[in-house]
Amino acid sequence: MTHIFPIIAKSKVASTPIYWFTKENFPAWKRKQPKILQKWITDNGFNAKPESYMLVPNKDGSLCSIIAGVETPLNIWSIAFLPTKIPAGIYHLESSFDKEEATNLALGWSLATYEFTRYKNSDKKFPELVAPKNCDVPLTKSFFEAICWARDLINTPANDMNPAALANEAVNWAKSAQAKAGVIRGEELLKANYPMIYAVGKAANVSPRLVDIRFPLKNAPKITLVGKGVTFDSGGLDIKSAGGMKIMKKDMGGAANVLALAKVILDTKLPVQLRILLPIVENAVSGNAMRPLDIVPTRKGINVEIGNTDAEGRLILCDALFEADSETPDLIIDCATLTGAARVALGTEIPAFFTADNKLANKLSEISENEHDPLWRLPLWKAYRSQLDTPNADLSNDPDSSFAGAITAALFLQEFVSKTKSWIHVDMMAWNLQNKAGRPQGGEAMAIRALYKLIKENYVGTR
Ligand code: BES
Ligand code: ZN
Ligand code: ZN
């Protein structure tokens, strides 16, 4: 699907100004306006409350300007409510911004124009914005394209976004970016010693696979990204309820986010050696499906008892993470729609992250706040590890208690990452339950702006 980038580097034609105010500074500005405009504002009831706006006409009835209410400090979503509301046309922001503000405002604007059009045409014309001065237009465009891609991948239903289709998306992108891309598929997974990925995905009509993409670069820090790619999570034999299953086409949101992050890293030529591992499966029900209490070996060699077939994300990730760890990169990041428990703890909008590296955690928290890309740390609380014990095997995928489910899932993954200095696990929703400024209901990229900045600030130039 193509998405038109609505940011114009320089406009050749006149553009309509957008003036923005806070509730606090608006009254003083209003008092200085001509009486006729003051009356128009009052009669419209406009008082610059956040996410409100008003069209200001010229005497001849044409559009003169837009005035909008925002909250300060400005963030990526401050003016993102406008593009779906104001008439099509070309606009500019009537003030100056630093590089970060300008880039974020333009990105928020552009993301507000996203529509999922694969199955339903839209003739909506969105307003365009002249890039504010200091805006990093290439970076904005890269994030726009990457996030639209992630949203499209997630929104595409599982009948079309099956394991083959998702793997193809990844490989086609990798090849277009001159990367080395390999796919291990179906029973080849057993030969290549990825028994868990096979066990989870074997029940589906479209076979499971592991996508492995590399961008080699000498003398650069090694970063490996791992993404959960469950194209549909029915729950397997421990089948989900109808309500719980309904949005499970988004269970490949981790993989989609990893691809989006990787795309921006590539587009902007961050000097890192990138590896991307995507275990991709459908968690289906069939006679061939894994059963509760089946015991399956892992790539690591330890045996896992499958207490619950719906805890499949940690199973496919454990083989991919063990492979990632075998090369001891400088950093491993995995992204996954892993647990409902993370959503109970933090809600749908704040991904949980886990890492044993305190310094890195503090840095990520700080960046996340500055970038307005929320992430909240939860602990890898060792005392809960015993909840994964079982008398029958080395590890269970189904903790004894449902309390702290996001933490016990992270502790399960931690069993497979032992050599690499820093590992960050992100448990995210990858989905907007409701429309919000710049963020339409449906598939969503989460945490990738913060992770990009973390990689840029903490890793680039360290080798
Ligand atoms: N994909 C789900 C987790 C999920 C559910 C993410 C809802 C976002 C929203 C995952 O595979 C799952 O079903 N996890 C179980 C684990 C449990 C059986 C130990 C869960 O969280 O209930
Ligand atoms: Zn599940
Ligand atoms: Zn799942």
Side-chain angles (χ1 to χ4, degrees):
M1 282 147 277
T2 46
H3 300 281
I4 299 163
F5 184 51
I7 306 298
I8 311 174
K10 261 208 167 85
S11 177
K12 291 191 188 91
V13 299
S15 50
T16 306
I18 298 172
Y19 299 90
W20 55 271
F21 302 95
T22 62
K23 262 185 109 145
E24 290 69 40
N25 69 17
F26 182 64
W29 180 84
K30 183 181 168 189
R31 276 194 297 277
K32 283 191 249 146
Q33 303 311 304
K35 280 274 158 329
I36 183 166
L37 178 55
Q38 289 197 36
K39 176 130 179 53
W40 178 252
I41 292 168
T42 306
D43 287 0
N44 273 284
F46 180 80
N47 57 8
K49 97 173 193 296
E51 301 208 8
S52 68
Y53 75 103
M54 198 188 75
L55 305 182
V56 179
N58 287 309
K59 284 215 173 93
D60 65 359
S62 60
L63 181 59
C64 168
S65 65
I66 298 228
I67 54 179
V70 303
E71 227 165 3
T72 51
L74 295 174
N75 68 60
I76 173 170
W77 310 120
S78 292
I79 56 160
F81 65 98
L82 286 173
T84 47
K85 294 190 172 135
I86 62 177
I90 302 176
Y91 297 85
H92 66 270
L93 292 167
E94 198 59 55
S95 43
S96 50
F97 307 98
D98 64 28
K99 185 174 169 184
E100 226 142 82
E101 277 173 345
T103 305
N104 274 332
L105 291 173
L107 181 57
W109 179 290
S110 63
L111 290 173
T113 67
Y114 172 83
E115 289 182 302
F116 180 55
T117 53
R118 178 158 170 172
Y119 305 90
K120 195 175 179 182
N121 286 333
S122 161
D123 48 14
K124 189 150 172 49
K125 284 222 159 19
F126 287 101
E128 295 174 293
L129 183 70
V130 179
K133 196 165 165 260
N134 296 326
C135 172
D136 183 339
V137 178
L139 183 67
T140 308
K141 185 159 191 265
S142 174
F143 266 115
F144 168 73
E145 288 173 354
I147 293 171
C148 288
W149 186 29
R151 288 174 176 178
D152 281 343
L153 292 175
I154 299 168
N155 286 332
T156 303
N159 57 326
D160 282 327
M161 193 50 64
N162 58 30
L166 181 56
N168 282 343
E169 285 267 351
V171 169
N172 291 343
W173 164 74
K175 289 197 171 146
S176 74
Q178 272 87 50
K180 293 184 186 156
V183 184
I184 306 171
R185 180 179 311 108
E187 285 180 7
E188 289 167 33
L189 287 164
L190 290 177
K191 279 190 227 125
N193 192 24
Y194 290 100
M196 266 302 176
I197 300 175
Y198 180 77
V200 175
K202 70 181 174 359
N205 271 341
V206 183
S207 52
R209 43 208 87 199
L210 177 71
V211 172
D212 188 352
I213 298 170
R214 285 175 191 274
F215 296 90
L217 187 68
K218 281 203 181 106
N219 302 324
K222 264 174 108 166
I223 295 179
T224 300
L225 307 177
V226 181
K228 172 178 171 182
V230 176
T231 58
F232 192 77
D233 184 8
S234 68
L237 288 175
D238 282 352
I239 193 160
K240 285 185 182 292
S241 66
M245 200 188 298
K246 192 162 184 187
I247 58 172
M248 283 302 137
K249 67 173 182 180
K250 65 127 180 147
D251 214 21
M252 33 57 74
N257 272 277
V258 156
L259 287 170
L261 172 59
K263 176 176 157 52
V264 182
I265 291 172
L266 259 286
D267 286 352
T268 58
K269 301 193 165 58
L270 278 197
V272 293
Q273 294 185 63
L274 202 58
R275 184 178 187 197
I276 301 159
L277 286 165
L278 306 176
I280 300 177
V281 302
E282 178 182 342
N283 190 18
V285 179
S286 85
N288 183 31
M290 58 177 172
R291 291 156 289 248
L293 298 190
D294 277 359
I295 296 175
V296 179
T298 58
R299 182 170 185 79
K300 185 177 178 180
I302 65 170
N303 293 323
V304 171
E305 183 180 60
I306 298 168
N308 191 319
T309 64
D310 198 8
E312 83 297 339
R314 67 198 73 184
L315 298 176
I316 61 170
L317 285 170
C318 81
D319 276 358
L321 280 170
F322 186 73
E323 170 55 26
D325 189 55
S326 72
E327 293 187 335
T328 57
D330 297 277
L331 173 67
I332 297 174
I333 301 174
D334 79 79
C335 293
T337 50
L338 201 63
T339 67
R343 310 289 68 84
V344 174
L346 298 172
T348 57
E349 292 177 28
I350 311 176
F353 79 93
F354 300 79
T355 179
D357 184 335
N358 290 330
K359 243 176 121 180
L360 194 64
N362 292 340
K363 179 90 192 185
L364 182 56
S365 294
E366 188 189 312
I367 290 173
S368 144
E369 194 173 340
N370 289 341
E371 291 294 303
H372 229 83
D373 194 8
L375 275 162
W376 206 261
R377 187 183 189 190
L378 293 180
L380 287 159
W381 193 254
K382 289 216 161 39
Y384 295 163
R385 164 63 185 78
S386 60
Q387 292 190 28
L388 301 171
D389 288 340
T390 163
N392 307 316
D394 298 308
L395 198 59
S396 164
N397 78 334
D398 188 25
D400 296 331
S401 137
S402 62
F403 291 120
I407 297 175
T408 47
L411 289 170
F412 182 99
L413 299 181
Q414 193 179 27
E415 294 292 310
F416 300 87
V417 187
S418 56
K419 302 197 293 184
T420 304
K421 180 171 173 287
S422 302
W423 162 60
I424 300 173
H425 158 56
V426 183
D427 189 339
M428 60 168 70
M429 182 68 172
W431 186 266
N432 299 319
L433 290 176
Q434 284 147 3
N435 285 323
K436 286 210 159 178
R439 288 151 290 174
Q441 188 271 338
E444 186 58 295
M446 294 184 165
I448 62 170
R449 290 181 298 111
L451 291 170
Y452 174 81
K453 195 119 200 218
L454 182 76
I455 292 170
K456 189 169 175 188
E457 292 189 354
N458 250 43
Y459 289 89
V460 166
T462 56
R463 266 208 193 184

